[in-house]
Structure formats: structure tokens, C-alpha cells
Amino acid sequence: MPKVPVNITVDKEVLDKFKELCENNDIKVSTKINTLMKEWVENNKK
């Protein structure tokens, strides 16, 4: 599946915490975001 660059705006505190959690769990941020978005789409199909 091709990748598409996306710009999003989030609260700084949320992003900082997310980066910290990814770093603490040795997870690449962009891969984790992709996985979370994919899960959300799958769970919210109509």
C-alpha cells in the first residue's frame, strides 16, 4: 500500500506524551501512528 504524507495538528502535550510512550516502548512513531489509524478505520467501518 502506498504511503501518503499528511500534516496534522495536535496538542503539544499529547504529542510529547505519545513520543515518550513510543520511545519507552522502542516503537517508531510514524509506524505506530499508521497502525493506530488503520485500527481506528477498521473499527469504525460502517
Tab-separated table of all heavy atoms in Angstrom:
chain	number	residue	atom	x	y	z
A	1	MET	N	0.845	-1.167	0.000
A	1	MET	CA	0.000	0.000	0.000
A	1	MET	C	0.899	1.242	0.000
A	1	MET	O	1.808	1.340	0.826
A	1	MET	CB	-0.882	-0.028	1.266
A	1	MET	CG	-1.954	1.005	1.250
A	1	MET	SD	-3.058	0.969	2.701
A	1	MET	CE	-3.632	-0.701	2.712
A	2	PRO	N	0.644	2.195	-0.907
A	2	PRO	CA	1.500	3.390	-0.932
A	2	PRO	C	1.285	4.266	0.291
A	2	PRO	O	0.210	4.276	0.886
A	2	PRO	CB	1.053	4.117	-2.198
A	2	PRO	CG	-0.282	3.578	-2.530
A	2	PRO	CD	-0.377	2.210	-1.941
A	3	LYS	N	2.316	4.987	0.658
A	3	LYS	CA	2.258	5.901	1.808
A	3	LYS	C	2.034	7.321	1.303
A	3	LYS	O	2.554	7.711	0.260
A	3	LYS	CB	3.546	5.848	2.623
A	3	LYS	CG	3.911	4.464	3.114
A	3	LYS	CD	2.934	3.988	4.146
A	3	LYS	CE	3.399	2.636	4.659
A	3	LYS	NZ	2.446	1.983	5.484
A	4	VAL	N	1.246	8.089	2.052
A	4	VAL	CA	0.953	9.472	1.693
A	4	VAL	C	1.332	10.361	2.864
A	4	VAL	O	0.892	10.130	3.995
A	4	VAL	CB	-0.563	9.631	1.396
A	4	VAL	CG1	-0.901	11.063	1.073
A	4	VAL	CG2	-0.982	8.701	0.276
A	5	PRO	N	2.155	11.386	2.641
A	5	PRO	CA	2.486	12.297	3.735
A	5	PRO	C	1.264	13.117	4.145
A	5	PRO	O	0.488	13.541	3.299
A	5	PRO	CB	3.577	13.196	3.162
A	5	PRO	CG	3.561	12.998	1.701
A	5	PRO	CD	2.814	11.740	1.402
A	6	VAL	N	1.099	13.301	5.444
A	6	VAL	CA	-0.061	14.018	5.969
A	6	VAL	C	0.408	14.991	7.045
A	6	VAL	O	1.244	14.648	7.873
A	6	VAL	CB	-1.077	13.023	6.587
A	6	VAL	CG1	-2.249	13.763	7.198
A	6	VAL	CG2	-1.554	12.029	5.558
A	7	ASN	N	-0.149	16.176	7.037
A	7	ASN	CA	0.118	17.147	8.104
A	7	ASN	C	-1.100	17.167	9.023
A	7	ASN	O	-2.234	17.291	8.546
A	7	ASN	CB	0.339	18.546	7.546
A	7	ASN	CG	1.651	18.672	6.829
A	7	ASN	OD1	2.633	18.078	7.225
A	7	ASN	ND2	1.665	19.438	5.772
A	8	ILE	N	-0.862	17.031	10.309
A	8	ILE	CA	-1.946	17.094	11.282
A	8	ILE	C	-1.553	18.058	12.395
A	8	ILE	O	-0.374	18.326	12.594
A	8	ILE	CB	-2.285	15.713	11.878
A	8	ILE	CG1	-1.073	15.129	12.600
A	8	ILE	CG2	-2.806	14.774	10.818
A	8	ILE	CD1	-1.374	13.883	13.398
A	9	THR	N	-2.548	18.547	13.100
A	9	THR	CA	-2.294	19.432	14.226
A	9	THR	C	-2.823	18.765	15.488
A	9	THR	O	-3.977	18.335	15.520
A	9	THR	CB	-3.002	20.788	14.018
A	9	THR	OG1	-2.544	21.341	12.782
A	9	THR	CG2	-2.717	21.743	15.149
A	10	VAL	N	-1.953	18.646	16.490
A	10	VAL	CA	-2.345	18.055	17.764
A	10	VAL	C	-1.806	18.918	18.897
A	10	VAL	O	-0.880	19.713	18.700
A	10	VAL	CB	-1.810	16.613	17.924
A	10	VAL	CG1	-2.419	15.687	16.891
A	10	VAL	CG2	-0.311	16.559	17.867
A	11	ASP	N	-2.380	18.765	20.064
A	11	ASP	CA	-1.874	19.481	21.230
A	11	ASP	C	-0.443	19.033	21.510
A	11	ASP	O	-0.123	17.844	21.422
A	11	ASP	CB	-2.725	19.183	22.465
A	11	ASP	CG	-4.118	19.755	22.370
A	11	ASP	OD1	-4.291	20.805	21.722
A	11	ASP	OD2	-5.038	19.155	22.959
A	12	LYS	N	0.406	19.980	21.837
A	12	LYS	CA	1.812	19.676	22.091
A	12	LYS	C	1.971	18.643	23.201
A	12	LYS	O	2.788	17.735	23.103
A	12	LYS	CB	2.572	20.954	22.439
A	12	LYS	CG	4.051	20.705	22.659
A	12	LYS	CD	4.814	21.955	22.929
A	12	LYS	CE	6.296	21.763	23.115
A	12	LYS	NZ	6.804	20.486	23.475
A	13	GLU	N	1.182	18.775	24.256
A	13	GLU	CA	1.287	17.841	25.381
A	13	GLU	C	0.937	16.418	24.950
A	13	GLU	O	1.571	15.458	25.382
A	13	GLU	CB	0.369	18.272	26.531
A	13	GLU	CG	0.732	19.600	27.158
A	13	GLU	CD	0.240	20.820	26.371
A	13	GLU	OE1	-0.680	20.691	25.525
A	13	GLU	OE2	0.801	21.906	26.579
A	14	VAL	N	-0.057	16.292	24.092
A	14	VAL	CA	-0.456	14.966	23.607
A	14	VAL	C	0.666	14.360	22.771
A	14	VAL	O	1.037	13.191	22.954
A	14	VAL	CB	-1.763	15.055	22.782
A	14	VAL	CG1	-2.087	13.732	22.115
A	14	VAL	CG2	-2.912	15.502	23.658
A	15	LEU	N	1.219	15.146	21.871
A	15	LEU	CA	2.303	14.654	21.029
A	15	LEU	C	3.531	14.287	21.856
A	15	LEU	O	4.149	13.240	21.639
A	15	LEU	CB	2.674	15.694	19.975
A	15	LEU	CG	3.803	15.292	19.031
A	15	LEU	CD1	3.445	14.029	18.262
A	15	LEU	CD2	4.115	16.435	18.077
A	16	ASP	N	3.872	15.118	22.808
A	16	ASP	CA	5.034	14.829	23.655
A	16	ASP	C	4.850	13.528	24.423
A	16	ASP	O	5.767	12.707	24.505
A	16	ASP	CB	5.294	15.979	24.632
A	16	ASP	CG	5.824	17.226	23.937
A	16	ASP	OD1	6.271	17.125	22.772
A	16	ASP	OD2	5.776	18.301	24.566
A	17	LYS	N	3.676	13.331	24.970
A	17	LYS	CA	3.403	12.102	25.723
A	17	LYS	C	3.434	10.888	24.790
A	17	LYS	O	3.977	9.837	25.133
A	17	LYS	CB	2.047	12.212	26.433
A	17	LYS	CG	1.739	11.052	27.337
A	17	LYS	CD	2.729	10.973	28.477
A	17	LYS	CE	2.384	9.869	29.441
A	17	LYS	NZ	3.404	9.652	30.453
A	18	PHE	N	2.851	11.043	23.604
A	18	PHE	CA	2.845	9.953	22.632
A	18	PHE	C	4.269	9.577	22.229
A	18	PHE	O	4.628	8.399	22.197
A	18	PHE	CB	2.029	10.363	21.403
A	18	PHE	CG	1.898	9.278	20.378
A	18	PHE	CD1	1.033	8.224	20.571
A	18	PHE	CD2	2.659	9.316	19.216
A	18	PHE	CE1	0.909	7.214	19.627
A	18	PHE	CE2	2.549	8.315	18.271
A	18	PHE	CZ	1.670	7.262	18.473
A	19	LYS	N	5.100	10.582	21.941
A	19	LYS	CA	6.502	10.320	21.584
A	19	LYS	C	7.232	9.622	22.723
A	19	LYS	O	8.019	8.703	22.498
A	19	LYS	CB	7.211	11.635	21.248
A	19	LYS	CG	6.857	12.207	19.909
A	19	LYS	CD	7.651	13.488	19.710
A	19	LYS	CE	7.469	14.098	18.362
A	19	LYS	NZ	8.255	15.332	18.200
A	20	GLU	N	6.973	10.072	23.931
A	20	GLU	CA	7.613	9.465	25.103
A	20	GLU	C	7.212	7.996	25.239
A	20	GLU	O	8.059	7.125	25.471
A	20	GLU	CB	7.213	10.235	26.358
A	20	GLU	CG	7.822	9.696	27.636
A	20	GLU	CD	7.335	10.441	28.871
A	20	GLU	OE1	7.016	11.636	28.768
A	20	GLU	OE2	7.270	9.804	29.932
A	21	LEU	N	5.926	7.718	25.090
A	21	LEU	CA	5.454	6.331	25.183
A	21	LEU	C	6.078	5.465	24.088
A	21	LEU	O	6.480	4.326	24.341
A	21	LEU	CB	3.934	6.275	25.094
A	21	LEU	CG	3.183	6.815	26.306
A	21	LEU	CD1	1.701	6.987	25.989
A	21	LEU	CD2	3.377	5.907	27.500
A	22	CYS	N	6.159	5.995	22.875
A	22	CYS	CA	6.768	5.238	21.783
A	22	CYS	C	8.243	4.978	22.072
A	22	CYS	O	8.728	3.868	21.874
A	22	CYS	CB	6.608	5.986	20.469
A	22	CYS	SG	4.922	5.944	19.823
A	23	GLU	N	8.933	6.000	22.529
A	23	GLU	CA	10.356	5.844	22.826
A	23	GLU	C	10.577	4.816	23.939
A	23	GLU	O	11.459	3.962	23.847
A	23	GLU	CB	10.948	7.190	23.242
A	23	GLU	CG	12.432	7.141	23.460
A	23	GLU	CD	13.015	8.502	23.792
A	23	GLU	OE1	12.576	9.497	23.193
A	23	GLU	OE2	13.895	8.557	24.663
A	24	ASN	N	9.754	4.887	24.980
A	24	ASN	CA	9.890	3.952	26.099
A	24	ASN	C	9.591	2.517	25.706
A	24	ASN	O	10.065	1.578	26.352
A	24	ASN	CB	8.976	4.364	27.257
A	24	ASN	CG	9.428	5.641	27.926
A	24	ASN	OD1	10.577	6.054	27.804
A	24	ASN	ND2	8.512	6.288	28.632
A	25	ASN	N	8.785	2.346	24.648
A	25	ASN	CA	8.436	1.005	24.191
A	25	ASN	C	9.183	0.611	22.916
A	25	ASN	O	8.829	-0.367	22.268
A	25	ASN	CB	6.925	0.908	23.967
A	25	ASN	CG	6.172	0.972	25.270
A	25	ASN	OD1	6.300	0.101	26.113
A	25	ASN	ND2	5.405	2.036	25.463
A	26	ASP	N	10.206	1.409	22.574
A	26	ASP	CA	11.035	1.150	21.392
A	26	ASP	C	10.178	0.988	20.132
A	26	ASP	O	10.325	0.033	19.376
A	26	ASP	CB	11.912	-0.082	21.621
A	26	ASP	CG	13.067	-0.136	20.637
A	26	ASP	OD1	13.528	0.937	20.198
A	26	ASP	OD2	13.496	-1.254	20.299
A	27	ILE	N	9.263	1.936	19.935
A	27	ILE	CA	8.358	1.923	18.786
A	27	ILE	C	8.640	3.165	17.946
A	27	ILE	O	8.768	4.265	18.474
A	27	ILE	CB	6.882	1.959	19.248
A	27	ILE	CG1	6.556	0.718	20.070
A	27	ILE	CG2	5.937	2.083	18.059
A	27	ILE	CD1	5.202	0.785	20.756
A	28	LYS	N	8.711	2.984	16.641
A	28	LYS	CA	8.893	4.117	15.744
A	28	LYS	C	7.560	4.881	15.680
A	28	LYS	O	6.512	4.302	15.428
A	28	LYS	CB	9.294	3.625	14.355
A	28	LYS	CG	9.646	4.728	13.407
A	28	LYS	CD	10.134	4.170	12.093
A	28	LYS	CE	10.357	5.287	11.095
A	28	LYS	NZ	10.678	4.781	9.769
A	29	VAL	N	7.599	6.177	15.900
A	29	VAL	CA	6.380	6.994	15.995
A	29	VAL	C	5.525	6.883	14.738
A	29	VAL	O	4.325	6.637	14.816
A	29	VAL	CB	6.723	8.469	16.286
A	29	VAL	CG1	5.491	9.341	16.228
A	29	VAL	CG2	7.386	8.606	17.649
A	30	SER	N	6.118	7.051	13.555
A	30	SER	CA	5.322	7.036	12.331
A	30	SER	C	4.654	5.679	12.103
A	30	SER	O	3.509	5.613	11.639
A	30	SER	CB	6.174	7.411	11.123
A	30	SER	OG	7.241	6.510	10.960
A	31	THR	N	5.347	4.606	12.445
A	31	THR	CA	4.757	3.270	12.306
A	31	THR	C	3.591	3.105	13.269
A	31	THR	O	2.542	2.560	12.900
A	31	THR	CB	5.817	2.187	12.585
A	31	THR	OG1	6.912	2.383	11.705
A	31	THR	CG2	5.243	0.801	12.404
A	32	LYS	N	3.745	3.587	14.483
A	32	LYS	CA	2.673	3.470	15.477
A	32	LYS	C	1.464	4.294	15.069
A	32	LYS	O	0.324	3.839	15.197
A	32	LYS	CB	3.186	3.910	16.854
A	32	LYS	CG	2.182	3.700	17.963
A	32	LYS	CD	1.837	2.238	18.123
A	32	LYS	CE	0.867	2.014	19.263
A	32	LYS	NZ	0.434	0.631	19.356
A	33	ILE	N	1.678	5.494	14.556
A	33	ILE	CA	0.557	6.327	14.104
A	33	ILE	C	-0.187	5.618	12.982
A	33	ILE	O	-1.417	5.570	12.969
A	33	ILE	CB	1.055	7.721	13.657
A	33	ILE	CG1	1.525	8.508	14.872
A	33	ILE	CG2	-0.040	8.474	12.907
A	33	ILE	CD1	2.210	9.809	14.544
A	34	ASN	N	0.548	5.057	12.037
A	34	ASN	CA	-0.071	4.327	10.933
A	34	ASN	C	-0.908	3.166	11.465
A	34	ASN	O	-2.045	2.956	11.031
A	34	ASN	CB	1.009	3.815	9.978
A	34	ASN	CG	0.435	3.189	8.730
A	34	ASN	OD1	-0.187	3.875	7.942
A	34	ASN	ND2	0.648	1.902	8.558
A	35	THR	N	-0.374	2.425	12.409
A	35	THR	CA	-1.091	1.290	12.989
A	35	THR	C	-2.355	1.747	13.711
A	35	THR	O	-3.426	1.147	13.545
A	35	THR	CB	-0.183	0.534	13.977
A	35	THR	OG1	0.983	0.096	13.274
A	35	THR	CG2	-0.892	-0.665	14.581
A	36	LEU	N	-2.260	2.807	14.496
A	36	LEU	CA	-3.426	3.320	15.219
A	36	LEU	C	-4.507	3.804	14.265
A	36	LEU	O	-5.706	3.546	14.483
A	36	LEU	CB	-3.011	4.455	16.162
A	36	LEU	CG	-2.146	4.048	17.349
A	36	LEU	CD1	-1.605	5.298	18.038
A	36	LEU	CD2	-2.910	3.182	18.315
A	37	MET	N	-4.113	4.492	13.208
A	37	MET	CA	-5.091	4.973	12.233
A	37	MET	C	-5.771	3.796	11.532
A	37	MET	O	-6.989	3.793	11.346
A	37	MET	CB	-4.421	5.888	11.215
A	37	MET	CG	-4.021	7.218	11.803
A	37	MET	SD	-3.088	8.250	10.664
A	37	MET	CE	-4.327	8.664	9.466
A	38	LYS	N	-4.987	2.792	11.159
A	38	LYS	CA	-5.538	1.611	10.487
A	38	LYS	C	-6.530	0.899	11.393
A	38	LYS	O	-7.629	0.515	10.963
A	38	LYS	CB	-4.409	0.662	10.092
A	38	LYS	CG	-4.873	-0.532	9.283
A	38	LYS	CD	-3.730	-1.489	9.017
A	38	LYS	CE	-2.896	-1.019	7.865
A	38	LYS	NZ	-1.836	-1.990	7.500
A	39	GLU	N	-6.183	0.731	12.670
A	39	GLU	CA	-7.089	0.090	13.631
A	39	GLU	C	-8.371	0.896	13.789
A	39	GLU	O	-9.463	0.337	13.844
A	39	GLU	CB	-6.403	-0.058	14.990
A	39	GLU	CG	-5.341	-1.118	15.020
A	39	GLU	CD	-4.578	-1.156	16.336
A	39	GLU	OE1	-4.915	-0.401	17.279
A	39	GLU	OE2	-3.624	-1.951	16.423
A	40	TRP	N	-8.245	2.218	13.852
A	40	TRP	CA	-9.416	3.065	14.018
A	40	TRP	C	-10.354	2.921	12.815
A	40	TRP	O	-11.561	2.771	12.976
A	40	TRP	CB	-8.996	4.533	14.185
A	40	TRP	CG	-10.143	5.402	14.552
A	40	TRP	CD1	-10.580	5.689	15.799
A	40	TRP	CD2	-11.030	6.073	13.648
A	40	TRP	NE1	-11.685	6.511	15.727
A	40	TRP	CE2	-11.978	6.763	14.423
A	40	TRP	CE3	-11.105	6.159	12.263
A	40	TRP	CZ2	-12.994	7.525	13.850
A	40	TRP	CZ3	-12.113	6.910	11.703
A	40	TRP	CH2	-13.037	7.573	12.492
A	41	VAL	N	-9.791	2.929	11.609
A	41	VAL	CA	-10.599	2.779	10.405
A	41	VAL	C	-11.308	1.432	10.394
A	41	VAL	O	-12.502	1.342	10.131
A	41	VAL	CB	-9.727	2.939	9.125
A	41	VAL	CG1	-10.482	2.510	7.891
A	41	VAL	CG2	-9.253	4.380	8.989
A	42	GLU	N	-10.564	0.378	10.725
A	42	GLU	CA	-11.168	-0.961	10.761
A	42	GLU	C	-12.303	-1.052	11.787
A	42	GLU	O	-13.330	-1.674	11.537
A	42	GLU	CB	-10.098	-2.016	11.064
A	42	GLU	CG	-9.122	-2.252	9.939
A	42	GLU	CD	-9.778	-2.810	8.695
A	42	GLU	OE1	-10.630	-3.703	8.790
A	42	GLU	OE2	-9.434	-2.329	7.595
A	43	ASN	N	-12.114	-0.427	12.925
A	43	ASN	CA	-13.115	-0.499	13.983
A	43	ASN	C	-14.316	0.414	13.760
A	43	ASN	O	-15.345	0.254	14.412
A	43	ASN	CB	-12.478	-0.131	15.338
A	43	ASN	CG	-11.519	-1.190	15.813
A	43	ASN	OD1	-11.645	-2.368	15.485
A	43	ASN	ND2	-10.523	-0.777	16.572
A	44	ASN	N	-14.192	1.349	12.819
A	44	ASN	CA	-15.275	2.302	12.609
A	44	ASN	C	-15.888	2.218	11.220
A	44	ASN	O	-16.584	3.141	10.792
A	44	ASN	CB	-14.762	3.724	12.866
A	44	ASN	CG	-14.516	3.942	14.337
A	44	ASN	OD1	-15.436	4.082	15.114
A	44	ASN	ND2	-13.250	3.927	14.725
A	45	LYS	N	-15.665	1.122	10.536
A	45	LYS	CA	-16.305	0.921	9.234
A	45	LYS	C	-17.806	0.792	9.438
A	45	LYS	O	-18.271	0.259	10.441
A	45	LYS	CB	-15.786	-0.358	8.578
A	45	LYS	CG	-14.449	-0.232	7.958
A	45	LYS	CD	-14.108	-1.529	7.250
A	45	LYS	CE	-12.777	-1.446	6.572
A	45	LYS	NZ	-12.409	-2.715	5.958
A	46	LYS	N	-18.532	1.248	8.455
A	46	LYS	CA	-19.998	1.137	8.542
A	46	LYS	C	-20.529	0.267	7.466
A	46	LYS	O	-19.995	0.093	6.444
A	46	LYS	CB	-20.629	2.525	8.475
A	46	LYS	CG	-20.254	3.319	9.686
A	46	LYS	CD	-21.069	4.564	9.759
A	46	LYS	CE	-20.629	5.266	11.042
A	46	LYS	NZ	-21.441	6.218	11.537
